[in-house]
Protein backbone atom coordinates (compact mmCIF):
# COMPACT_ATOMS: atom_id res chain seq x y z
CA UNK A 1 0.00 0.00 0.00
CA UNK A 2 1.27 3.47 -0.84
CA UNK A 3 -0.14 6.99 -0.95
CA UNK A 4 -0.16 9.14 -4.06
CA UNK A 5 -1.63 12.66 -4.05
CA UNK A 6 -3.77 11.74 -0.99
CA UNK A 7 -4.99 8.67 -2.87
CA UNK A 8 -4.22 5.29 -1.32
CA UNK A 9 -2.67 2.96 -3.89
CA UNK A 10 -3.54 -0.69 -3.35
CA UNK A 11 -2.68 -3.89 -5.16
CA UNK A 12 -5.35 -5.38 -7.38
CA UNK A 13 -7.68 -7.90 -5.74
CA UNK A 14 -7.06 -10.98 -7.86
CA UNK A 15 -7.82 -13.78 -5.39
CA UNK A 16 -11.23 -13.77 -3.73
CA UNK A 17 -12.95 -16.45 -1.66
CA UNK A 18 -16.59 -16.77 -0.64
CA UNK A 19 -17.08 -18.81 2.53
CA UNK A 20 -20.35 -20.55 3.34
CA UNK A 21 -21.06 -22.95 6.18
CA UNK A 22 -18.67 -21.45 8.73
CA UNK A 23 -21.75 -22.17 10.85
CA UNK A 24 -23.36 -25.26 9.40
CA UNK A 25 -26.98 -24.29 10.13
CA UNK A 26 -26.89 -20.84 8.48
CA UNK A 27 -28.47 -21.88 5.24
CA UNK A 28 -28.19 -18.89 2.88
CA UNK A 29 -24.41 -19.07 2.65
CA UNK A 30 -24.38 -22.87 2.58
CA UNK A 31 -26.87 -22.93 -0.31
CA UNK A 32 -25.26 -20.13 -2.32
CA UNK A 33 -21.77 -21.59 -2.01
CA UNK A 34 -22.97 -25.08 -2.97
CA UNK A 35 -24.76 -23.51 -5.95
CA UNK A 36 -21.60 -21.66 -7.04
CA UNK A 37 -19.37 -24.71 -6.57
CA UNK A 38 -21.54 -26.43 -9.21
CA UNK A 39 -21.75 -23.38 -11.49
CA UNK A 40 -19.73 -20.29 -10.61
CA UNK A 41 -20.52 -18.22 -13.70
CA UNK A 42 -22.33 -15.46 -11.77
CA UNK A 43 -19.42 -14.90 -9.35
CA UNK A 44 -16.66 -14.79 -11.95
CA UNK A 45 -15.13 -11.45 -12.89
CA UNK A 46 -12.41 -10.73 -15.46
CA UNK A 47 -8.93 -11.50 -14.13
CA UNK A 48 -10.21 -12.57 -10.69
CA UNK A 49 -10.04 -16.07 -9.25
CA UNK A 50 -13.20 -16.36 -7.12
CA UNK A 51 -13.32 -19.54 -5.04
CA UNK A 52 -16.58 -20.60 -3.31
CA UNK A 53 -15.74 -22.78 -0.32
CA UNK A 54 -17.65 -24.69 2.39
CA UNK A 55 -15.61 -24.02 5.51
CA UNK A 56 -17.17 -26.49 7.97
CA UNK A 57 -18.46 -29.48 5.97
CA UNK A 58 -19.13 -31.73 8.98
CA UNK A 59 -21.28 -29.06 10.63
CA UNK A 60 -23.11 -28.50 7.33
CA UNK A 61 -23.74 -32.24 7.04
CA UNK A 62 -25.24 -32.29 10.56
CA UNK A 63 -26.98 -28.89 10.09
CA UNK A 64 -25.48 -27.67 13.35
CA UNK A 65 -23.48 -24.52 14.17
CA UNK A 66 -20.28 -26.49 14.83
CA UNK A 67 -19.02 -29.95 15.80
CA UNK A 68 -16.45 -29.36 18.57
CA UNK A 69 -15.94 -25.60 18.82
CA UNK A 70 -17.00 -22.42 17.02
CA UNK A 71 -14.98 -22.20 13.78
CA UNK A 72 -15.56 -18.44 13.63
CA UNK A 73 -13.61 -18.02 16.88
CA UNK A 74 -10.87 -20.54 16.03
CA UNK A 75 -8.37 -18.50 14.00
CA UNK A 76 -6.12 -17.52 16.91
CA UNK A 77 -2.31 -17.71 16.62
CA UNK A 78 -2.38 -20.49 19.24
CA UNK A 79 -4.84 -22.62 17.25
CA UNK A 80 -3.19 -21.99 13.89
CA UNK A 81 0.18 -23.15 15.26
CA UNK A 82 -1.12 -25.96 17.51
CA UNK A 83 0.37 -29.42 17.16
CA UNK A 84 -1.71 -32.56 17.55
CA UNK A 85 -3.13 -33.37 14.14
CA UNK A 86 -6.22 -35.56 14.35
CA UNK A 87 -6.33 -35.17 18.15
CA UNK A 88 -7.17 -31.47 17.84
CA UNK A 89 -10.83 -30.33 17.88
CA UNK A 90 -12.33 -30.67 14.40
CA UNK A 91 -12.74 -26.92 13.88
CA UNK A 92 -9.13 -26.25 14.92
CA UNK A 93 -8.03 -28.76 12.27
CA UNK A 94 -10.26 -26.96 9.74
CA UNK A 95 -8.86 -23.56 10.77
CA UNK A 96 -5.34 -24.81 10.09
CA UNK A 97 -6.37 -26.23 6.72
CA UNK A 98 -8.21 -23.01 5.73
CA UNK A 99 -5.16 -21.00 6.80
CA UNK A 100 -2.96 -23.19 4.59
CA UNK A 101 -5.26 -22.78 1.57
CA UNK A 102 -6.21 -19.10 1.88
CA UNK A 103 -3.43 -17.66 4.05
CA UNK A 104 -1.18 -17.73 5.83
CA UNK A 105 -3.00 -15.14 7.92
CA UNK A 106 -1.14 -11.84 7.96
CA UNK A 107 1.19 -12.80 5.09
CA UNK A 108 1.64 -11.32 1.59
CA UNK A 109 0.48 -14.70 0.19
CA UNK A 110 -2.96 -14.49 1.85
CA UNK A 111 -6.08 -14.12 -0.29
CA UNK A 112 -6.98 -10.52 -1.09
CA UNK A 113 -10.65 -10.67 -0.04
CA UNK A 114 -12.73 -13.23 1.82
CA UNK A 115 -16.49 -12.85 2.08
CA UNK A 116 -17.91 -14.91 4.95
CA UNK A 117 -21.66 -15.49 4.66
CA UNK A 118 -23.77 -15.71 7.81
CA UNK A 119 -27.39 -15.70 8.93
CA UNK A 120 -28.76 -14.36 12.17
CA UNK A 121 -32.03 -15.06 13.98
CA UNK A 122 -32.03 -11.38 15.00
CA UNK A 123 -33.96 -8.71 13.10
CA UNK A 124 -30.79 -7.11 11.71
CA UNK A 125 -31.62 -7.00 8.01
CA UNK A 126 -28.51 -6.95 5.81
CA UNK A 127 -25.31 -6.09 7.66
CA UNK A 128 -21.73 -5.87 6.45
CA UNK A 129 -19.17 -6.56 9.18
CA UNK A 130 -15.96 -4.56 9.13
CA UNK A 131 -12.92 -5.57 11.21
CA UNK A 132 -10.86 -2.37 10.82
CA UNK A 133 -11.84 1.28 10.47
CA UNK A 134 -8.53 1.81 8.61
CA UNK A 135 -9.32 -0.65 5.80
CA UNK A 136 -9.98 1.91 3.04
CA UNK A 137 -10.60 -0.81 0.43
CA UNK A 138 -13.40 -2.35 2.50
CA UNK A 139 -14.85 1.04 3.44
CA UNK A 140 -15.01 2.02 -0.23
CA UNK A 141 -16.55 -1.36 -1.11
CA UNK A 142 -19.22 -0.98 1.56
CA UNK A 143 -20.01 2.54 0.41
CA UNK A 144 -20.40 1.21 -3.14
CA UNK A 145 -22.69 -1.62 -2.01
CA UNK A 146 -24.87 0.68 0.11
CA UNK A 147 -25.40 3.02 -2.84
CA UNK A 148 -25.95 0.18 -5.32
CA UNK A 149 -28.74 -1.49 -3.34
CA UNK A 150 -30.52 1.73 -2.25
CA UNK A 151 -33.32 2.22 -1.32
CA UNK A 152 -32.82 -1.20 0.30
CA UNK A 153 -30.78 -0.96 3.48
CA UNK A 154 -27.39 -2.44 4.28
CA UNK A 155 -25.80 -1.34 7.55
CA UNK A 156 -22.14 -1.56 8.58
CA UNK A 157 -21.12 -3.10 11.90
CA UNK A 158 -17.56 -2.30 13.00
CA UNK A 159 -15.94 -4.63 15.52
CA UNK A 160 -12.41 -3.64 16.42
CA UNK A 161 -12.95 -3.63 20.20
CA UNK A 162 -9.80 -5.20 21.70
CA UNK A 163 -11.78 -7.39 24.13
CA UNK A 164 -14.88 -8.13 22.01
CA UNK A 165 -13.22 -8.75 18.65
CA UNK A 166 -12.74 -12.43 17.81
CA UNK A 167 -10.60 -14.50 15.44
CA UNK A 168 -12.88 -15.03 12.45
CA UNK A 169 -12.43 -17.37 9.50
CA UNK A 170 -12.37 -14.37 7.16
CA UNK A 171 -9.51 -12.77 9.12
CA UNK A 172 -7.14 -14.94 7.07
CA UNK A 173 -7.58 -12.47 4.15
CA UNK A 174 -6.01 -9.07 3.63
CA UNK A 175 -9.52 -7.61 3.39
CA UNK A 176 -12.01 -9.62 5.48
CA UNK A 177 -15.73 -8.96 4.90
CA UNK A 178 -18.51 -10.49 6.99
CA UNK A 179 -22.06 -10.52 5.64
CA UNK A 180 -24.85 -11.15 8.13
CA UNK A 181 -28.44 -11.33 6.86
CA UNK A 182 -31.57 -11.98 8.89
CA UNK A 183 -33.88 -12.70 10.44
CA UNK A 184 -33.76 -16.36 9.52
CA UNK A 185 -34.16 -19.36 11.85
CA UNK A 186 -31.29 -21.83 12.07
CA UNK A 187 -31.59 -24.65 9.54
CA UNK A 188 -34.16 -22.72 7.47
CA UNK A 189 -33.84 -21.13 4.02
CA UNK A 190 -35.93 -18.00 3.38
CA UNK A 191 -36.10 -16.75 -0.20
CA UNK A 192 -35.96 -13.03 0.67
CA UNK A 193 -32.87 -13.49 2.85
CA UNK A 194 -31.22 -15.69 0.20
CA UNK A 195 -31.82 -13.07 -2.51
CA UNK A 196 -30.63 -10.17 -0.34
CA UNK A 197 -27.34 -11.98 0.29
CA UNK A 198 -26.95 -12.87 -3.39
CA UNK A 199 -27.50 -9.27 -4.54
CA UNK A 200 -24.98 -7.85 -2.06
CA UNK A 201 -22.35 -10.36 -3.22
CA UNK A 202 -22.98 -9.36 -6.85
CA UNK A 203 -22.33 -5.69 -6.08
CA UNK A 204 -19.27 -6.50 -3.97
CA UNK A 205 -17.74 -8.46 -6.86
CA UNK A 206 -18.67 -5.64 -9.27
CA UNK A 207 -16.75 -3.21 -7.04
CA UNK A 208 -13.66 -5.44 -7.14
CA UNK A 209 -13.97 -5.65 -10.92
CA UNK A 210 -14.17 -1.84 -11.28
CA UNK A 211 -11.22 -1.33 -8.92
CA UNK A 212 -9.08 -3.85 -10.82
CA UNK A 213 -10.00 -2.18 -14.12
CA UNK A 214 -8.49 1.09 -12.86
CA UNK A 215 -11.45 3.08 -11.53
CA UNK A 216 -10.44 5.54 -8.83
CA UNK A 217 -12.88 5.85 -5.94
CA UNK A 218 -12.96 9.36 -4.40
CA UNK A 219 -12.93 10.00 -0.65
CA UNK A 220 -16.20 9.07 1.05
CA UNK A 221 -17.82 8.68 4.44
CA UNK A 222 -19.52 5.53 5.72
CA UNK A 223 -21.96 5.42 8.62
CA UNK A 224 -21.02 2.54 10.90
CA UNK A 225 -22.15 1.07 14.19
CA UNK A 226 -19.14 0.42 16.43
CA UNK A 227 -19.44 -2.48 18.92
CA UNK A 228 -19.00 -1.14 22.46
CA UNK A 229 -20.29 -3.74 24.93
CA UNK A 230 -21.70 -7.24 25.24
CA UNK A 231 -24.85 -7.44 27.41
CA UNK A 232 -25.74 -10.73 29.11
CA UNK A 233 -29.14 -11.88 30.34
CA UNK A 234 -29.88 -11.33 34.04
CA UNK A 235 -28.95 -14.49 35.96
CA UNK A 236 -29.37 -15.96 39.43
CA UNK A 237 -26.52 -17.04 41.71
CA UNK A 238 -26.32 -20.39 39.89
CA UNK A 239 -25.94 -18.75 36.48
CA UNK A 240 -29.48 -19.50 35.29
CA UNK A 241 -31.23 -16.93 33.11
CA UNK A 242 -34.02 -15.16 35.03
CA UNK A 243 -35.29 -12.68 32.42
CA UNK A 244 -36.06 -12.37 28.70
CA UNK A 245 -35.51 -9.60 26.19
CA UNK A 246 -38.30 -7.09 26.86
CA UNK A 247 -41.05 -7.00 24.20
CA UNK A 248 -40.29 -3.29 23.62
CA UNK A 249 -36.72 -4.22 22.66
CA UNK A 250 -37.35 -7.49 20.81
CA UNK A 251 -36.82 -7.13 17.02
CA UNK A 252 -35.68 -3.50 17.45
CA UNK A 253 -32.10 -3.99 16.23
CA UNK A 254 -30.35 -0.70 15.34
CA UNK A 255 -33.01 1.43 17.09
CA UNK A 256 -31.81 3.69 19.93
CA UNK A 257 -31.98 2.30 23.46
CA UNK A 258 -32.10 5.23 25.88
CA UNK A 259 -31.41 5.30 29.62
CA UNK A 260 -34.57 4.16 31.38
CA UNK A 261 -35.93 2.20 28.39
CA UNK A 262 -37.18 -1.35 29.06
CA UNK A 263 -34.43 -3.90 28.37
CA UNK A 264 -35.41 -7.20 30.03
CA UNK A 265 -38.57 -8.68 31.51
CA UNK A 266 -38.30 -11.15 34.39
CA UNK A 267 -40.34 -14.32 34.36
CA UNK A 268 -42.69 -12.80 36.94
CA UNK A 269 -43.28 -9.71 34.78
CA UNK A 270 -40.91 -7.12 36.26
CA UNK A 271 -39.17 -4.71 33.88
CA UNK A 272 -35.39 -4.20 33.99
CA UNK A 273 -34.43 -0.91 32.42
CA UNK A 274 -31.28 0.21 30.63
CA UNK A 275 -29.01 2.12 33.03
CA UNK A 276 -26.39 3.48 30.61
CA UNK A 277 -25.25 7.10 30.49
CA UNK A 278 -26.63 7.78 27.00
CA UNK A 279 -28.30 6.21 23.99
CA UNK A 280 -26.84 3.09 22.37
CA UNK A 281 -27.89 1.06 19.32
CA UNK A 282 -28.38 -2.61 20.17
CA UNK A 283 -28.00 -5.39 17.63
CA UNK A 284 -27.84 -9.20 17.54
CA UNK A 285 -30.84 -8.91 19.87
CA UNK A 286 -31.85 -12.33 21.23
CA UNK A 287 -29.64 -14.17 18.70
CA UNK A 288 -30.24 -17.90 19.21
CA UNK A 289 -26.58 -18.85 18.79
CA UNK A 290 -25.44 -16.42 21.49
CA UNK A 291 -27.24 -17.95 24.47
CA UNK A 292 -24.22 -20.22 24.92
CA UNK A 293 -21.96 -17.18 24.72
CA UNK A 294 -23.90 -15.43 27.49
CA UNK A 295 -24.95 -12.60 25.23
CA UNK A 296 -28.44 -11.12 24.93
CA UNK A 297 -27.28 -8.40 22.52
CA UNK A 298 -24.37 -6.08 21.81
CA UNK A 299 -24.50 -2.33 22.14
CA UNK A 300 -23.05 -0.08 19.46
CA UNK A 301 -22.54 3.61 18.93
CA UNK A 302 -23.16 5.25 15.60
CA UNK A 303 -20.27 7.07 14.00
CA UNK A 304 -19.04 8.28 10.62
CA UNK A 305 -15.92 6.67 9.19
CA UNK A 306 -13.82 8.43 6.56
CA UNK A 307 -12.35 6.49 3.63
CA UNK A 308 -9.49 7.90 1.58
CA UNK A 309 -9.56 7.89 -2.19
CA UNK A 310 -8.30 4.54 -3.51
CA UNK A 311 -6.84 3.43 -6.82
CA UNK A 312 -4.90 0.40 -7.95
CA UNK A 313 -1.13 0.62 -7.68
Amino acid sequence: MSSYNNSVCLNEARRVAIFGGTHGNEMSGVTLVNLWVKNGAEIQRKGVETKPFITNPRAVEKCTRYVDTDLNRAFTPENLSALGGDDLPYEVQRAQEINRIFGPKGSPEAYDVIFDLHNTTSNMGSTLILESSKDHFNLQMMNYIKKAIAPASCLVLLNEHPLLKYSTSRSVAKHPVGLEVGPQPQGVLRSNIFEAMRVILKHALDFIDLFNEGMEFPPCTVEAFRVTERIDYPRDANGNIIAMVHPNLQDCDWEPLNPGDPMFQTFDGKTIRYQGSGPVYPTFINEAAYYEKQQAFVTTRRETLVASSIRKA
Side-chain angles (χ1 to χ4, degrees):
M1 183 181 82
S2 62
S3 186
Y4 175 76
N5 287 347
N6 297 323
S7 192
V8 177
C9 296
L10 300 166
N11 292 330
E12 295 168 271
R14 293 298 181 190
R15 294 194 302 159
V16 174
I18 302 173
F19 286 177
T22 295
H23 297 132
N25 56 6
E26 297 178 6
M27 300 307 296
S28 300
V30 170
T31 308
L32 280 168
V33 165
N34 279 330
L35 186 73
W36 292 329
V37 166
K38 289 177 185 166
N39 181 358
E42 77 174 273
I43 58 169
Q44 297 310 319
R45 298 294 185 274
K46 182 183 173 184
V48 179
E49 174 206 341
T50 305
K51 185 176 179 66
F53 188 79
I54 294 289
T55 42
N56 197 337
R58 281 195 202 166
V60 169
E61 189 180 323
K62 295 174 181 291
C63 196
T64 187
R65 183 175 173 87
Y66 56 79
V67 177
D68 292 326
T69 189
D70 194 331
L71 180 62
N72 212 35
R73 309 292 188 275
F75 288 76
T76 62
E78 295 76 19
N79 280 344
L80 295 180
S81 62
L83 303 175
D86 292 345
D87 293 331
L88 292 169
Y90 173 68
E91 279 81 6
V92 174
Q93 294 179 50
R94 284 299 291 171
Q96 292 185 354
E97 184 174 355
I98 289 162
N99 191 50
R100 279 194 295 272
I101 298 169
F102 298 99
K105 180 175 176 175
S107 77
E109 293 76 39
Y111 262 57
D112 297 303
V113 183
I114 294 176
F115 298 101
D116 194 17
L117 309 184
H118 290 268
N119 292 121
T120 174
T121 63
S122 302
N123 189 31
M124 290 173 64
S126 298
T127 305
L128 290 158
I129 303 179
L130 180 66
E131 299 199 358
S132 168
S133 58
K134 302 290 188 288
D135 188 334
H136 297 285
F137 182 86
N138 276 354
L139 283 169
Q140 287 281 2
M141 181 198 298
M142 292 175 183
N143 181 58
Y144 178 90
I145 292 168
K146 284 164 72 75
K147 287 183 173 176
I149 69 165
S153 171
C154 185
L155 300 178
V156 174
L157 180 66
L158 169 64
N159 189 359
E160 57 183 2
H161 190 291
L163 301 179
L164 301 180
K165 189 173 182 174
Y166 44 88
S167 302
T168 60
S169 56
R170 60 188 173 269
S171 67
V172 168
K174 296 182 180 81
H175 303 289
V177 180
L179 177 53
E180 191 84 52
V181 189
Q184 179 170 279
Q186 297 170 350
V188 171
L189 192 60
R190 288 184 53 169
S191 58
N192 61 321
I193 303 297
F194 175 90
E195 286 301 329
M197 184 174 278
R198 191 177 200 166
V199 166
I200 287 169
L201 253 293
K202 174 210 175 298
H203 291 302
L205 293 169
D206 288 349
F207 168 85
I208 291 171
D209 190 36
L210 291 169
F211 173 79
N212 287 343
E213 290 296 311
M215 179 179 285
E216 181 166 349
F217 292 86
C220 68
T221 58
V222 178
E223 183 183 75
F225 292 82
R226 181 186 289 273
V227 174
T228 53
E229 190 179 4
R230 181 190 294 126
I231 304 293
D232 190 12
Y233 296 90
R235 297 175 186 270
D236 65 17
N238 297 317
N240 299 309
I241 290 174
I242 57 170
M244 308 162 281
V245 170
H246 194 279
N248 288 19
L249 179 59
Q250 181 63 50
D251 298 328
C252 293
D253 296 73
W254 310 116
E255 296 180 20
L257 179 68
N258 294 295
D261 285 351
M263 183 168 61
F264 295 109
Q265 183 173 288
T266 64
F267 298 148
D268 57 1
K270 293 190 178 70
T271 294
I272 298 172
R273 298 180 182 276
Y274 177 59
Q275 300 295 326
S277 58
V280 291
Y281 297 84
T283 195
F284 280 114
I285 296 172
N286 209 8
E287 161 61 49
Y290 289 168
Y291 277 74
E292 68 170 39
K293 301 186 190 304
Q294 300 185 330
Q295 179 180 305
F297 57 90
V298 296
T299 61
T300 71
R301 71 167 186 264
R302 192 162 64 182
E303 60 183 67
T304 300
L305 303 178
V306 177
S308 297
S309 169
I310 66 166
R311 59 195 283 272
K312 74 173 182 177

